[in-house]
């Protein structure tokens, strides 16, 4: 007797519709702020300074992207992520781009449905031990207890390294760099392993840095770079070419200080195209305005300036350019032509 | 009467679904059911659409892929060549072992503290009140951190146990010494205890995800057999007592039945202890109980024990004092009064809330992630989830496993509850 009255209610289910994903660029522009997934505290790469503002090598790239897309390098919301939460945060759309010392691997690129758009730091995994342990090579670490960040490639490399050298170890699984540092200092592990750049950064913040050594072995290739979600190619292009704009700026001697002057005085056609000083509108090809690259360079400087300010030999971390020098100087950093 | 003739005799009208109390309850239930179904279908639909938008599928095939990572505490053999599924089983066993031990420890402490809190001794009673109020009113996560920090910051480093030739020559003792005549070493990384080993084990059968250890199964069979024979023995003693009024002495028979077969089996299997020895960086041999395990176990036990203590106190206080007086009047001694009169009645009140305590202990083990304890949450829901990127599958599987564990605990405890509850005839 009551059947006919409420049957119509069931039809409501027909109203349900799936969420159609809009382009990331439109989302960022509408929001007016760039959500950048960053490390929750690795000095030199991304860590809050005394005023709570994120500073570092990776943080500078976030600011450059914000300057290119939104016209203001300060329009970045840094979302601190652990090694474990970063990819979920990117996949779920919590962040627009992930720049958090993330290694480009096959399965992350394919199976996890991400795109690594560039390599902003060529790294490798190393070990740090206390000097008093009397160890000079990673091959002497048989039986050691090793602190390791969970959810990282280093976790898998470590297992492979010890297996291939017929050695045993006890893993102490930790969530992020700062916790790893605490455990290592407290003596919960003999060795701390992560990317060599990360080790240098951790060592620089230790009060007794001279009592800790980084072992010479580099046991893996760790190309670190910005990551975006699979499928939004235009957004991937923006992140990729913003990064290459910074590299290209270093190649051409454009710095944060002289970018305005260069744009108005240069006669080099490639620089004119890059800085939007010629009639070619490169920015429009990916949905940005003409001067996107000029703003990106003005934000924190070119690649070399960012490296020198955050990681270089004049900082406490003191890393040499090494593989991260320009290709013209024997390194691997090479920007495709802006044409 | 007038009331009966007031009811309308006419046909059914739709408005009666709301205004007629005969139909209103059914109407509301149907509406709620439809709303719930709509919610569920929306959730499933939304998940499917979003997975499709991300070009992802639901696939549990990763469980058979190589895991590639190591786990420090393994109850069954595991290497980084084992599968993700096997890693999940290792994690599950770690969850179960810490949950099981915490339940036992919390019950023992809880019963003890609950009864002491009723003590007429002012100091003992107040001390127990302080313990209960302090532990019960601070989140268990903080207690886990406190336990882990105390253990890792106060204990000596492994290298303090090192004895070099120079030190022997100088007659110098190492900075830290092992306890119990070289059997146990407490370091800032863990507790090293002797490992029970078998020199003539019965072998094992590997079934992929799990391994059948025949030595362990043989021990289990012997223990169960001994207990069954022991119950037979007691039943016969009771029969003799009921027939003749004299209870035969059973203690030495019990001892023989319970202990001798097990010891004989251990001897046959070549049971011996492997002592931890300092070598290189760390202790080798023995079992290393990581502080993450000890801290989790201690914190969960001490925290949950306070709730159990209150349950016990409530149970004992629920038994009216008249029962004790009646038992004394019948000439029962205090110990028998407690065992035969008070406890059976108190258990009726204690057991149902105890079930939920056991459930919450089991689920709280997942907080072990805070101190890097690789339980089910740490392996399947942590490293595997991360390395494979199968968030939905891992989470669903993990929820299912926790649900099954909880349902099993509930079922077992409900069986126990029905055996102690008031028998109504």
């Amino acid at each position: 007797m009551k059947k006919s009255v409420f049957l119509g209610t069931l039809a409501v289910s027909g109203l349900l519709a799936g969420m159609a994903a809009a382009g990331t660029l439109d989302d960022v522009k509408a929001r007016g702020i760039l959500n950048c997934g960053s490390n929750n505290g690795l000095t030199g790469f991304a860590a809050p300074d005394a005023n709570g503002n994120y500073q570092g090598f990776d943080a500078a790239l976030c600011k450059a992207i914000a300057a290119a897309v939104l016209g203001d390098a300060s329009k970045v919301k840094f979302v601190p992520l652990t090694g474990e939460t970063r990819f979920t945060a990117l996949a779920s759309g919590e962040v627009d781009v992930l720049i958090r010392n993330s290694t480009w691997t096959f399965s992350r690129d394919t199976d996890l449905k991400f795109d690594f758009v560039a390599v902003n730091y060529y790294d490798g995994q190393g070990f740090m031990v206390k000097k008093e342990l009397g160890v000079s090579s990673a091959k002497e670490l048989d039986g050691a207890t090793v602190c390791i960040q969970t959810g990282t490639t280093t976790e898998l490399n470590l297992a492979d390294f010890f297996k291939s050298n017929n050695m045993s170890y006890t893993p102490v699984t930790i969530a992020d760099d700062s916790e790893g540092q605490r455990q290592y200092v407290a003596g919960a592990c003999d060795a701390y392993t992560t990317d060599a750049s990360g080790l240098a950064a951790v060592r620089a913040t230790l009060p007794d840095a001279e009592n800790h050594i980084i072992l010479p072995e580099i046991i893996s290739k760790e190309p670190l770079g910005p990551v975006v979600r699979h499928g939004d190619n235009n957004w991937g292009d923006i992140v990729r070419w913003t990064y290459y704009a910074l590299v290209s700026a270093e190649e051409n001697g454009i710095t944060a200080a002289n970018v305005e002057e260069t744009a108005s005085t240069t006669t080099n056609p490639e620089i004119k195209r890059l800085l939007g000083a010629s009639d070619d509108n490169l920015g429009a090809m990916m949905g940005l305005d003409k001067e996107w690259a000029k703003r990106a360079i003005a934000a924190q400087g070119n690649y070399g300036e960012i490296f020198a300010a955050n990681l270089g030999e004049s900082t406490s971390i003191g890393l040499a350019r090494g593989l991260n020098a320009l290709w013209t100087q024997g390194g691997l950093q090479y920007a495709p032509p802006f044409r | 009467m007038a009331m009966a003739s007031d009811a309308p005799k006419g046909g059914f009208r739709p408005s009666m679904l709301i205004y007629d109390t005969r139909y209103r309850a059914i109407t509301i239930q149907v509406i709620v059911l439809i709303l719930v179904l709509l919610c569920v279908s929306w959730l499933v639909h939304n998940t499917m659409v979003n997975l499709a938008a991300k070009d992802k599928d639901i696939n549990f095939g990763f469980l058979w892929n190589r895991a590639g990572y190591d786990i420090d505490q393994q109850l069954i053999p595991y290497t980084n060549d084992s599968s993700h599924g096997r890693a999940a089983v290792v994690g599950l066993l770690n969850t179960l072992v810490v949950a099981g031990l915490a339940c036992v420890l919390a019950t023992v402490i809880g019963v003890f503290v609950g009864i002491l809190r009723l003590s007429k001794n002012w100091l003992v009673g107040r001390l127990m009140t302080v313990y209960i109020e302090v532990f019960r009113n601070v989140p268990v996560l903080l207690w886990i951190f406190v336990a882990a920090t105390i253990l890792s910051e106060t204990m000596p480093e492994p290298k303090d146990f090192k004895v070099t030739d120079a030190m022997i020559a100088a007659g110098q003792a190492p900075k830290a010494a092992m306890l119990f005549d070289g059997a146990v070493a407490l370091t800032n990384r863990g507790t090293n205890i002797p490992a029970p080993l078998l020199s003539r084990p019965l072998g094992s059968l590997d079934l992929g995800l799990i391994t059948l250890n025949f030595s362990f199964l043989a021990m289990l069979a012997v223990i169960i057999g001994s207990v069954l024979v022991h119950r037979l023995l007691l039943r016969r003693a009771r029969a003799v007592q009921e027939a003749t009024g004299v209870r035969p002495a059973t203690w030495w028979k019990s001892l023989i039945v319970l202990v001798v077969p097990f010891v004989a089996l251990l001897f046959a299997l070549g049971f011996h202890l492997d002592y931890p020895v300092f070598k290189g960086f760390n202790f080798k041999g023995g079992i290393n109980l990581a502080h993450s395990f000890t801290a989790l176990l201690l914190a969960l036990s001490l925290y949950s024990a306070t709730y159990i203590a209150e349950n016990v106190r409530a149970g004992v206080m629920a038994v009216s004092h008249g029962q004790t007086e009646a038992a004394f009047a019948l000439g029962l001694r205090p110990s028998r009064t407690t065992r035969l009169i008070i406890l059976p009645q108190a258990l009726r009140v204690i057991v149902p809330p105890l079930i939920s305590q056991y459930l919450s202990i089991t689920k709280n083990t997942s907080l072990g992630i805070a101190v890097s304890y690789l339980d089910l949450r740490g392996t399947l829901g942590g490293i595997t989830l991360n390395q494979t990127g199968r968030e939905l599958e891992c989470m669903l599987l993990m929820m299912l496993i926790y649900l099954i564990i909880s349902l099993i605990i509930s079922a077992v405890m409900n069986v126990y509850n029905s055996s102690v509850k008031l028998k109504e005839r």
Side-chain angles (χ1 to χ4, degrees):
Chain A
M1 48 185 173
K2 55 189 178 289
K3 60 189 173 190
S4 59
V5 182
F6 289 101
L7 275 178
T9 320
L10 289 173
V12 172
S13 61
L15 292 174
L16 298 172
M19 276 168 31
T24 313
L25 176 63
D26 297 335
D27 288 349
V28 173
K29 278 181 171 168
R31 203 188 303 128
I33 199 154
L34 174 78
N35 289 337
C36 190
S38 65
N39 204 306
N40 50 352
L42 182 61
T43 310
F45 281 90
D49 64 8
N51 302 320
N53 300 320
Y54 269 83
Q55 301 293 348
F57 183 74
D58 282 348
L61 185 51
C62 292
K63 291 176 186 171
I65 296 169
V69 175
L70 300 168
D72 185 347
S74 65
K75 293 270 174 62
V76 187
K77 184 182 161 208
F78 289 96
V79 181
L81 299 170
T82 64
E84 206 175 357
T85 55
R86 54 184 164 175
F87 293 121
T88 316
L90 179 63
S92 67
E94 192 185 337
V95 297
D96 302 312
V97 56
L98 176 73
I99 312 183
R100 191 209 172 275
N101 316 80
S102 301
T103 305
W104 186 354
T105 69
F106 179 85
S107 63
R108 285 175 179 176
D109 207 340
T110 57
D111 195 31
L112 294 195
K113 311 291 180 200
F114 294 130
D115 278 337
F116 286 76
V117 292
V119 176
N120 70 339
Y121 194 96
Y122 288 94
D123 212 337
Q125 183 179 350
F127 294 91
M128 178 164 70
V129 295
K130 294 190 176 111
K131 221 173 222 172
E132 58 183 11
L133 208 60
V135 169
S136 58
S137 157
K139 301 244 165 90
E140 297 167 25
L141 285 175
D142 192 12
T145 306
V146 184
C147 278
I148 174 99
Q149 261 197 75
T150 185
T152 60
T153 48
T154 49
E155 196 165 41
L156 307 178
N157 297 333
L158 181 72
D160 290 353
F161 175 75
F162 274 83
K163 180 181 280 277
S164 59
N165 286 295
N166 276 326
M167 303 193 299
S168 66
Y169 72 104
T170 311
V172 175
T173 329
I174 43 126
D176 55 43
D177 283 297
S178 42
E179 171 69 3
Q181 188 173 342
R182 193 192 72 74
Q183 296 262 18
Y184 169 72
V185 170
C189 41
D190 298 304
Y192 180 42
T193 181
T194 185
D195 298 336
S197 62
L199 290 178
V202 167
R203 185 170 173 270
T205 55
L206 293 177
D208 56 338
E210 68 280 2
N211 292 331
H212 302 268
I213 52 168
I214 294 169
L215 299 177
E217 281 86 353
I218 295 292
I219 66 169
S220 68
K221 289 189 289 190
E222 306 285 338
L224 311 179
V227 198
V228 297
R229 281 181 295 278
H230 211 79
D232 190 348
N233 294 12
N234 185 50
W235 178 248
D237 287 342
I238 291 173
V239 175
R240 176 186 297 116
W241 286 97
T242 305
Y243 169 68
Y244 282 138
L246 302 181
V247 177
S248 185
E250 190 188 4
E251 285 175 10
N252 292 304
I254 310 167
T255 64
N258 70 12
V259 63
E260 283 294 342
E261 188 200 337
T262 313
S264 53
T265 58
T266 185
T267 53
N268 181 331
E270 166 140 17
I271 297 178
K272 281 178 111 168
R273 276 197 298 276
L274 175 66
L275 299 180
S278 68
D279 294 337
D280 300 312
N281 191 344
L282 295 187
M285 297 178 194
M286 50 185 194
L288 299 180
D289 63 353
K290 226 172 164 182
E291 298 191 321
W292 62 281
K294 195 166 94 180
R295 288 194 305 271
I297 298 164
Q300 300 268 306
N302 63 36
Y303 181 81
E305 286 179 283
I306 293 173
F307 194 102
N310 296 297
L311 303 171
E313 279 159 341
S314 62
T315 65
S316 59
I317 296 164
L319 288 171
R321 284 292 286 268
L323 288 176
N324 297 295
L326 290 181
W327 61 287
T328 48
Q329 287 151 25
L332 293 173
Q333 294 295 351
Y334 180 107
F338 279 78
R339 184 169 292 284
Chain B
M1 301 261 287
M3 272 164 61
S5 61
D6 280 346
K9 290 251 166 27
F12 176 77
R13 278 171 284 112
S15 63
M16 285 165 69
L17 285 174
I18 296 166
Y19 297 115
D20 191 326
T21 46
R22 286 174 298 175
Y23 304 120
R24 192 189 286 153
I26 299 172
T27 312
I28 293 173
Q29 287 185 44
V30 169
I31 292 175
V32 170
L33 181 67
I34 290 172
L35 286 179
V36 169
L37 287 178
L38 281 180
C39 269
V40 171
S41 67
W42 180 79
L43 273 177
V44 172
H45 178 77
N46 189 36
T47 310
M48 304 298 268
V49 168
N50 278 302
L51 279 178
K54 291 201 167 64
D55 204 10
K56 284 190 166 185
D57 56 349
I58 293 191
N59 184 350
F60 287 92
F62 67 94
L63 287 174
W64 280 265
N65 294 348
R66 178 178 181 268
Y69 61 90
D70 286 289
I71 301 174
D72 54 348
Q73 181 185 318
Q74 330 158 341
L75 297 175
I76 54 171
Y78 170 87
T79 68
N80 52 46
D81 282 334
S82 308
S83 65
H84 279 296
R86 179 124 182 160
V89 174
V90 172
L92 174 62
L93 289 175
N94 286 349
T95 294
L96 291 179
V97 76
V98 80
L101 287 174
C103 284
V104 171
L105 208 57
T107 310
V108 171
I109 300 172
V111 169
F112 196 65
V113 170
I115 289 173
L116 281 187
R117 198 179 169 186
L118 290 167
S119 164
K120 290 193 181 67
N121 183 323
W122 186 87
L123 184 65
V124 172
R126 288 304 96 78
L127 273 180
M128 292 305 131
T129 309
V130 167
Y131 158 69
I132 287 174
E133 295 305 334
V134 167
F135 270 83
R136 197 168 59 152
N137 294 311
V138 173
V140 64
L141 183 61
L142 296 187
W143 286 118
I144 295 174
F145 278 128
V146 167
T149 313
I150 290 178
L151 286 169
S152 66
E153 303 281 343
T154 58
M155 299 297 170
E157 286 193 40
K159 64 174 166 34
D160 292 341
F161 289 86
K162 199 181 209 163
V163 184
T164 57
D165 292 339
M167 285 165 80
I168 294 171
Q172 205 178 358
K175 273 194 245 171
M178 295 174 75
L179 307 172
F180 304 114
D181 199 22
V184 175
L186 278 167
T187 73
N188 62 351
R189 290 175 193 168
T191 313
N192 297 84
I193 58 169
L197 286 185
L198 303 172
S199 48
R200 293 181 290 276
L202 293 177
S204 57
L205 181 66
D206 199 335
L207 297 177
L209 288 187
I210 53 165
T211 309
L212 282 183
N213 186 329
F214 291 125
S215 313
F216 181 72
L217 290 179
M219 282 183 212
L220 209 62
V222 166
I223 290 174
I224 293 173
S226 299
V227 169
L228 288 179
V229 171
H230 182 239
R231 283 175 71 171
L232 204 68
L233 190 78
L234 289 185
R235 195 177 300 161
R236 186 164 299 165
R238 197 176 306 127
V240 171
Q241 185 183 16
E242 276 166 10
T244 65
V246 180
R247 189 177 174 86
T250 54
W251 65 268
W252 59 272
K253 287 184 200 157
S254 300
L255 209 63
I256 290 178
V257 168
L258 289 178
V259 174
V260 170
F262 191 65
V263 171
L265 178 71
L266 286 185
F267 190 75
L269 293 175
F271 178 83
H272 62 276
L273 286 176
D274 179 33
Y275 285 85
V277 178
F278 188 83
K279 210 180 270 174
F281 300 109
N282 277 319
F283 282 90
K284 295 259 168 74
I287 295 175
N288 177 31
L289 294 175
H291 279 330
S292 52
F293 171 79
T294 323
L296 187 61
L297 177 62
L298 277 180
L300 278 182
S301 309
L302 289 175
Y303 175 80
S304 305
T306 58
Y307 288 89
I308 293 177
E310 291 293 86
N311 291 344
V312 169
R313 191 169 70 107
V316 173
M317 288 176 82
V319 180
S320 106
H321 192 58
Q323 299 280 328
T324 320
E325 287 173 345
F328 285 166
L330 287 173
L332 287 177
R333 277 167 284 158
S335 64
R336 290 209 149 183
T337 307
T338 310
R339 193 157 56 86
L340 298 173
I341 309 292
I342 314 245
L343 219 51
Q345 299 186 70
L347 278 178
R348 298 208 313 265
V349 181
I350 296 172
V351 171
L354 196 62
I355 301 176
S356 39
Q357 267 318 305
Y358 286 173
L359 293 181
S360 74
I361 289 178
T362 310
K363 286 176 289 178
N364 280 347
T365 54
S366 57
L367 291 172
I369 192 73
V371 285
S372 313
Y373 181 70
L374 286 183
D375 61 349
L376 189 66
R377 164 71 182 80
T379 56
L380 179 66
I383 305 179
T384 293
L385 182 153
N386 245 284
Q387 301 291 7
T388 61
R390 298 271 172 197
E391 294 95 353
L392 199 63
E393 291 90 333
C394 287
M395 281 297 161
L396 286 177
L397 205 56
M398 206 162 63
M399 283 159 65
L400 186 71
I401 293 173
Y402 276 117
L403 182 68
I404 290 172
I405 299 174
S406 295
L407 288 179
I408 290 174
I409 295 175
S410 286
V412 170
M413 290 301 288
N414 280 329
V415 168
Y416 178 66
N417 188 36
S418 60
S419 76
V420 297
K421 77 175 179 198
L422 187 62
K423 307 282 192 298
E424 290 177 340
R425 297 188 174 93

